[in-house]
């Protein structure tokens, strides 16, 4: 059960990181620093990796 909750939290994290990435792209296009885009992309990649890891853990099934 805890693995399912972790995967659900990771999915919401990816959703939040996508919104942050969209905000970062808008800020970059309006003249802000490129660090906005780099930071948004790094957070998105990190959240995506966490979601993939949690989904893989769900697919392997119970270990004990």
């Amino acid at each position: 059960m805890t693995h399912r909750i972790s995967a659900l939290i990771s999915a919401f994290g990816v959703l939040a990181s996508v919104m942050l990435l969209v905000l970062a792209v808008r800020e970059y296009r309006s003249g802000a620093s490129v660090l906005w885009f780099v930071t948004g992309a790094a957070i998105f990649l990190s959240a995506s990796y966490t979601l993939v890891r949690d989904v893989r853990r769900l697919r392997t099934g119970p270990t004990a």
Side-chain angles (χ1 to χ4, degrees), residues 3 6-7 10 46-60:
H3 296 302
S6 179
S10 296
S46 173
S48 298
Y49 172 76
T50 304
L51 179 62
V52 168
R53 186 188 64 200
D54 287 343
V55 168
R56 283 184 182 172
R57 189 182 306 155
L58 277 175
R59 286 185 168 198
T60 59

Side-chain angles (χ1 to χ4, degrees), residues 19-32 36-37:
M19 293 185 337
L20 180 65
L21 183 60
V22 168
L23 174 71
V25 168
R26 285 185 184 174
E27 289 294 320
Y28 176 66
R29 284 185 155 188
S30 69
W36 274 97
F37 179 71

